[in-house]
Amino acid sequence: MNKLSNPQEKPDSAMSRRAFMKSTAIAGLSLSAAGGPIGCRPGSRIAGANDTVRIAVAGLRIKGAQHIDVFREMEKVRVAAICDVDTEMLAREERKFASAGETVDTETDIRRVLDRKDIDAVVVATPNHWHCLMGIWACQAGKDVYMEKPVSHSVWEGRQLVRAARKYNRIVQAGIQKRSDAGLIEAARFIREGHLGRITLARGLCYKRRESIGLASGPQPIPDHIDYDLWTGPAELRPLMRKQLHYDWHWQWETGNGDIGNQGIHELDLCRWMMGESGLPASVFSFGGRYGYTDDGETPNTQITRYDYETAPLLFEVRGLPRSPGLEAMDAYRGMRIGVVIHCEHGYFAGGDGGGWAYDADGKRIRQFTGTGGVREHAADFIRAVRSRDSSELAGRIEDGHISSALVHLANISYRLGTLKGPESVREAFPRHPEIAETWGRTQAHLRRNGVALDERSVCLGPELAVASESERFVSREAFDSAFFANRLLRRTYREPFVVPDRV
C-alpha cells in the first residue's frame, strides 16, 4: 500500500492533491464522572454541508492554541468549547475570544465536553499520555477527532484507537500535516515515479536545540490553578519531580516519548510515506544518551535509530546539543536540520516543512518542490471529511498516525532495554550497516565539539529487535530474550479510572 499503482507511469500533471492522497492511502456513549463509558448515546449530530461544525479543543498551551486560531478562520466552523486542566490557560484563550466579540465555553474535564450533544468534533492537543484515552472516549461519545502527534503513548493503545475509530465509524485525523503539504506531495510522487532511481536509504533528522530542564531538589509544588490529578490522568500519580510541569513532560518516560516522539514523528512519517511503506519494519535498534548536562530528563537528547524496511533502511537522528557550546545554531546534514534526506541511486531529495529540492548524484539542484507546511490544508481535510463522512478525504488517516507513532515507540523500547557500552561498541555491534558507522562518526565529532567525552559506559546501546508487523509485537527467539522484555513495554500500566479498555 501507499505505492503508486504503476511507478513508471507519469500521472497527469493536473492530478489533484486529493486524488493523489486517495491513490496512496492505506486501502454513541455518555461518560461518567468515574471516567468510563456507561451506555450508548443515541442521536449524535452529523454535520451536513451547510451546517456549522462545532469543535472543542482540549489542551491549550501551544498546539491547542494554534489549532484554535486555524479552525476559527474557517467558514462554517465554530470553536464552541475549550478544555484544559490549567485554568490560567483557559482564561488566556477565553480572553482572545472576548477581544474578538465572541464567546466560548470552558471546561477543565474533557468528560463534560464529551457529554455535550452539540459538539461534533474534538481536537486533542494534550500531553502524549492522554492522547489515546481521550480519542477513544471521543469516538465512543460519537465525536470525530483531530489527534495531535504522536497519536499514542504506546504501541498497544495506538491500535486500540484505530479500532475505536472503525467500530464507531468516526472520522479520526492524525496530526501528521506534512502529508498535506503540496510540495511534499509532489516530491513523494516524483521519488516514487523513479526519477532519482531506487531508494537506497531514507534519513530523518531532528537537530533541535534542547536546553537542560534542571535538577529539582525534591517534590515541586503544584500551582493552585492546575488540577494535577486530571493532568496526570492515565499515568501513575507521582509527586512532580521536575522544575516545570508544562512541556518538560516530553523528556520523562511516564508522560512523554522524547524528541523522536515530539518533533521526530513528523520526519519519520515523511520517510515512511515517501518510501511507500505501510507497516512496521522487520527490525529496529536504537542507541545514544543524554549528554552535555545532568538534569531530571530521562529521554535521550542524542539518539540514532535504524529501521529495517524492505524498500530501504530508515535511519533517524536526534540531536539536542548545538553546533558548539554557546551557540544556538545546530548542525546540518546536506542542508537539513529538521527534515528528511531520501537517498537514491541517482541523487537525493532533501526537504521538510514547505517542500524541498531534488539533487542529482553530483549534488546539483535539479527540481524544487514548494509547499506551505500543510497545517491549514490538513485542518481543511478534516472538516471536509467530517461533513462527507468519507475518511479517504483525510491526508493523515489514523492508521498512518498509529504506524508512525509506533515507530517512535519501537525505537524507545530498544533504547530503554540498552546496556551502557563504550563508543567503539557501536561499530562492533552492527558491522553489516555501514550507514551506522558513518552516522555515528559524525555524531561523535558533534559530541566532542560540545565537550562530551565518551567513556566505556557512556553509550546506551539497545538490542536489535525483530518485529512482526501483523501482530505489532516483537519476535522472541528464546525464552526471556530481549524480545520477551520488549513486548512488556508495548503497553503501559493505567491508573483507574483513566484506563484504555481492552475492548473498545
Coordinates of all heavy atoms in Angstrom, one line a residue, residues 183-226:
G183 N 4.0 20.7 -1.8 CA 5.3 20.5 -2.3 C 5.8 19.1 -1.9 O 6.4 18.4 -2.8
L184 N 5.5 18.6 -0.7 CA 5.9 17.3 -0.4 C 5.1 16.2 -1.0 O 5.6 15.1 -1.3 CB 5.8 17.1 1.2 CG 6.8 18.0 1.9 CD1 6.6 17.9 3.4 CD2 8.2 17.7 1.6
I185 N 3.8 16.4 -1.3 CA 3.0 15.5 -2.1 C 3.6 15.3 -3.5 O 3.8 14.2 -4.0 CB 1.6 16.0 -2.2 CG1 0.9 15.9 -0.8 CG2 0.8 15.2 -3.2 CD1 -0.4 16.6 -0.8
E186 N 4.0 16.4 -4.1 CA 4.6 16.4 -5.4 C 6.0 15.7 -5.3 O 6.3 14.9 -6.2 CB 4.8 17.8 -5.9 CG 5.3 17.9 -7.4 CD 5.5 19.3 -7.9 OE1 5.4 20.3 -7.0 OE2 5.8 19.5 -9.0
A187 N 6.8 15.9 -4.3 CA 8.1 15.3 -4.1 C 7.9 13.8 -4.0 O 8.7 13.0 -4.5 CB 8.8 15.9 -3.0
A188 N 7.0 13.4 -3.2 CA 6.7 11.9 -3.0 C 6.4 11.2 -4.3 O 6.9 10.2 -4.6 CB 5.6 11.7 -1.9
R189 N 5.6 11.9 -5.1 CA 5.2 11.3 -6.4 C 6.4 11.2 -7.3 O 6.7 10.2 -7.9 CB 4.1 12.2 -7.0 CG 3.6 11.7 -8.3 CD 2.3 12.4 -8.7 NE 2.4 13.8 -8.6 CZ 1.4 14.7 -8.6 NH1 0.2 14.2 -8.6 NH2 1.6 16.0 -8.5
F190 N 7.3 12.3 -7.3 CA 8.5 12.4 -8.1 C 9.4 11.2 -7.7 O 10.0 10.6 -8.6 CB 9.1 13.7 -7.9 CG 10.4 14.0 -8.6 CD1 10.4 14.4 -9.9 CD2 11.6 13.8 -8.0 CE1 11.5 14.6 -10.6 CE2 12.8 14.0 -8.7 CZ 12.8 14.4 -10.0
I191 N 9.6 11.0 -6.4 CA 10.5 10.0 -6.0 C 10.0 8.6 -6.4 O 10.7 7.7 -6.9 CB 10.7 10.1 -4.5 CG1 11.5 11.3 -4.1 CG2 11.4 8.8 -3.9 CD1 11.5 11.7 -2.7
R192 N 8.7 8.4 -6.1 CA 8.1 7.0 -6.4 C 8.0 6.7 -7.9 O 7.9 5.6 -8.3 CB 6.8 6.9 -5.6 CG 7.0 6.7 -4.1 CD 5.8 6.2 -3.5 NE 5.3 7.1 -2.5 CZ 4.1 7.3 -2.1 NH1 3.2 6.6 -2.8 NH2 3.7 8.1 -1.2
E193 N 8.0 7.8 -8.7 CA 8.0 7.5 -10.1 C 9.3 7.1 -10.6 O 9.5 6.7 -11.8 CB 7.5 8.8 -10.9 CG 6.0 9.1 -10.8 CD 5.7 10.5 -11.3 OE1 6.6 11.3 -11.6 OE2 4.5 10.8 -11.4
G194 N 10.4 7.2 -9.8 CA 11.7 6.7 -10.1 C 12.6 7.7 -10.8 O 13.6 7.3 -11.3
H195 N 12.3 9.0 -10.7 CA 13.2 10.0 -11.3 C 14.6 10.0 -10.8 O 15.5 10.5 -11.5 CB 12.5 11.3 -11.2 CG 11.2 11.5 -12.0 ND1 11.2 11.5 -13.4 CD2 9.9 11.5 -11.6 CE1 9.9 11.6 -13.8 NE2 9.1 11.6 -12.7
L196 N 14.7 9.6 -9.5 CA 16.1 9.6 -8.9 C 16.6 8.1 -8.8 O 17.6 7.9 -8.1 CB 16.0 10.2 -7.5 CG 15.7 11.7 -7.5 CD1 15.5 12.2 -6.1 CD2 16.7 12.5 -8.3
G197 N 15.9 7.2 -9.3 CA 16.3 5.8 -9.2 C 15.8 5.2 -7.9 O 15.0 5.8 -7.2
R198 N 16.2 4.0 -7.7 CA 15.7 3.3 -6.5 C 16.2 3.9 -5.2 O 17.3 4.5 -5.1 CB 16.3 1.8 -6.5 CG 16.0 0.9 -5.4 CD 16.6 -0.4 -5.6 NE 18.0 -0.4 -5.7 CZ 18.9 -0.4 -4.7 NH1 18.4 -0.5 -3.4 NH2 20.2 -0.3 -4.9
I199 N 15.3 4.0 -4.2 CA 15.7 4.5 -2.9 C 16.7 3.5 -2.2 O 16.4 2.3 -2.2 CB 14.4 4.7 -2.0 CG1 13.5 5.7 -2.6 CG2 14.8 5.1 -0.6 CD1 12.1 5.8 -1.9
T200 N 17.7 4.1 -1.7 CA 18.8 3.3 -1.0 C 18.8 3.5 0.5 O 19.2 2.6 1.2 CB 20.1 3.6 -1.6 OG1 20.4 5.0 -1.5 CG2 20.2 3.2 -3.1
L201 N 18.3 4.7 0.9 CA 18.3 5.0 2.4 C 17.4 6.2 2.6 O 17.5 7.2 1.9 CB 19.7 5.3 2.9 CG 19.8 5.8 4.3 CD1 19.5 4.7 5.3 CD2 21.3 6.3 4.6
A202 N 16.5 6.1 3.6 CA 15.7 7.2 4.0 C 16.2 7.7 5.3 O 16.3 6.9 6.3 CB 14.2 6.8 4.1
R203 N 16.5 9.0 5.4 CA 17.2 9.5 6.6 C 16.3 10.6 7.2 O 16.0 11.6 6.5 CB 18.5 10.1 6.3 CG 19.3 10.5 7.5 CD 20.6 11.2 7.1 NE 21.5 10.4 6.3 CZ 22.5 9.6 6.8 NH1 22.7 9.5 8.1 NH2 23.2 8.9 6.0
G204 N 15.9 10.5 8.4 CA 15.1 11.6 9.1 C 16.0 12.3 10.1 O 16.9 11.7 10.7
L205 N 15.8 13.6 10.2 CA 16.7 14.4 11.0 C 15.9 15.3 12.0 O 14.9 15.9 11.6 CB 17.6 15.3 10.2 CG 18.4 14.6 9.1 CD1 18.9 15.7 8.1 CD2 19.6 14.0 9.8
C206 N 16.3 15.3 13.3 CA 15.7 16.2 14.2 C 16.9 16.8 15.0 O 17.3 16.3 16.1 CB 14.8 15.4 15.2 SG 14.1 16.5 16.5
Y207 N 17.5 17.8 14.4 CA 18.6 18.6 15.1 C 17.9 19.8 15.6 O 17.7 20.8 15.0 CB 19.6 19.0 14.1 CG 20.4 17.8 13.4 CD1 21.4 18.1 12.5 CD2 20.3 16.5 13.8 CE1 22.2 17.1 11.9 CE2 21.0 15.5 13.3 CZ 22.0 15.8 12.3 OH 22.7 14.8 11.7
K208 N 17.5 19.7 16.9 CA 16.7 20.8 17.5 C 17.2 21.1 18.9 O 17.3 20.2 19.7 CB 15.2 20.4 17.6 CG 14.2 21.5 17.9 CD 12.8 21.0 17.6 CE 11.8 22.1 17.7 NZ 10.5 21.7 17.3
R209 N 17.6 22.3 19.2 CA 18.2 22.7 20.4 C 17.3 22.4 21.6 O 16.1 22.8 21.6 CB 18.5 24.2 20.4 CG 19.3 24.6 21.7 CD 20.7 24.2 21.7 NE 21.5 24.7 22.8 CZ 21.8 24.0 23.9 NH1 21.4 22.7 24.0 NH2 22.5 24.5 24.9
R210 N 17.8 21.7 22.6 CA 17.1 21.4 23.8 C 18.0 21.7 25.0 O 19.0 21.1 25.2 CB 16.7 19.9 23.9 CG 15.7 19.5 22.7 CD 14.4 20.2 22.8 NE 13.5 19.8 21.7 CZ 12.4 20.4 21.5 NH1 12.0 21.5 22.1 NH2 11.6 19.9 20.5
E211 N 17.5 22.7 25.8 CA 18.3 23.0 27.0 C 18.0 22.0 28.1 O 17.0 21.3 28.1 CB 17.9 24.4 27.4 CG 18.1 25.5 26.4 CD 19.5 26.0 26.3 OE1 20.3 25.5 27.2 OE2 19.8 26.8 25.4
S212 N 18.9 22.1 29.1 CA 18.6 21.3 30.3 C 17.4 21.7 31.0 O 17.0 22.9 31.0 CB 19.8 21.4 31.3 OG 19.5 20.9 32.6
I213 N 16.6 20.7 31.6 CA 15.4 21.1 32.3 C 15.7 21.3 33.8 O 14.8 21.5 34.6 CB 14.3 20.1 32.1 CG1 14.6 18.7 32.8 CG2 14.0 19.9 30.7 CD1 13.5 17.7 32.8
G214 N 17.0 21.2 34.2 CA 17.4 21.4 35.6 C 17.2 20.2 36.5 O 16.6 19.2 36.1
L215 N 17.6 20.4 37.7 CA 17.5 19.3 38.7 C 16.6 19.8 39.8 O 17.0 20.9 40.5 CB 18.9 18.9 39.2 CG 19.7 17.9 38.5 CD1 21.1 17.8 39.0 CD2 19.0 16.5 38.6
A216 N 15.6 19.2 40.1 CA 14.7 19.5 41.2 C 15.3 18.9 42.5 O 15.7 17.8 42.5 CB 13.3 19.0 41.0
S217 N 15.3 19.7 43.6 CA 15.8 19.2 44.8 C 14.9 18.3 45.6 O 15.3 17.6 46.6 CB 16.2 20.4 45.7 OG 15.0 21.2 46.0
G218 N 13.6 18.2 45.2 CA 12.6 17.4 45.8 C 11.3 17.6 45.1 O 11.2 18.3 44.1
P219 N 10.2 17.1 45.7 CA 8.9 17.3 45.0 C 8.6 18.8 44.9 O 8.8 19.6 45.8 CB 7.9 16.6 46.0 CG 8.8 15.6 46.7 CD 10.2 16.2 46.8
Q220 N 8.1 19.2 43.8 CA 7.7 20.5 43.5 C 6.3 20.9 43.7 O 5.4 20.0 43.5 CB 8.1 20.8 42.0 CG 9.5 20.6 41.6 CD 10.5 21.5 42.4 OE1 10.5 22.7 42.2 NE2 11.3 20.9 43.2
P221 N 6.0 22.1 44.2 CA 4.6 22.4 44.4 C 3.8 22.5 43.1 O 4.3 22.9 42.1 CB 4.7 23.8 45.1 CG 6.0 24.4 44.6 CD 6.9 23.2 44.4
I222 N 2.5 22.1 43.2 CA 1.6 22.2 42.1 C 0.8 23.5 42.2 O 0.2 23.8 43.2 CB 0.6 21.0 42.0 CG1 1.4 19.7 42.0 CG2 -0.2 21.1 40.8 CD1 2.4 19.5 40.9
P223 N 0.8 24.4 41.2 CA 0.1 25.6 41.3 C -1.4 25.4 41.5 O -2.0 24.4 41.0 CB 0.3 26.3 39.9 CG 1.6 25.7 39.4 CD 1.6 24.3 39.9
D224 N -2.0 26.3 42.2 CA -3.5 26.1 42.5 C -4.4 26.1 41.3 O -5.5 25.6 41.4 CB -3.9 27.2 43.5 CG -3.3 27.1 44.9 OD1 -2.8 26.0 45.2 OD2 -3.2 28.2 45.6
H225 N -3.9 26.7 40.2 CA -4.7 26.8 39.0 C -4.6 25.5 38.1 O -5.2 25.5 37.0 CB -4.4 28.0 38.2 CG -2.9 28.1 37.8 ND1 -2.4 27.5 36.7 CD2 -1.9 28.7 38.4 CE1 -1.1 27.8 36.6 NE2 -0.7 28.5 37.7
I226 N -4.0 24.5 38.6 CA -3.8 23.3 37.8 C -4.4 22.1 38.6 O -4.1 21.9 39.8 CB -2.3 23.0 37.5 CG1 -1.8 24.1 36.6 CG2 -2.2 21.6 36.8 CD1 -0.3 24.0 36.3

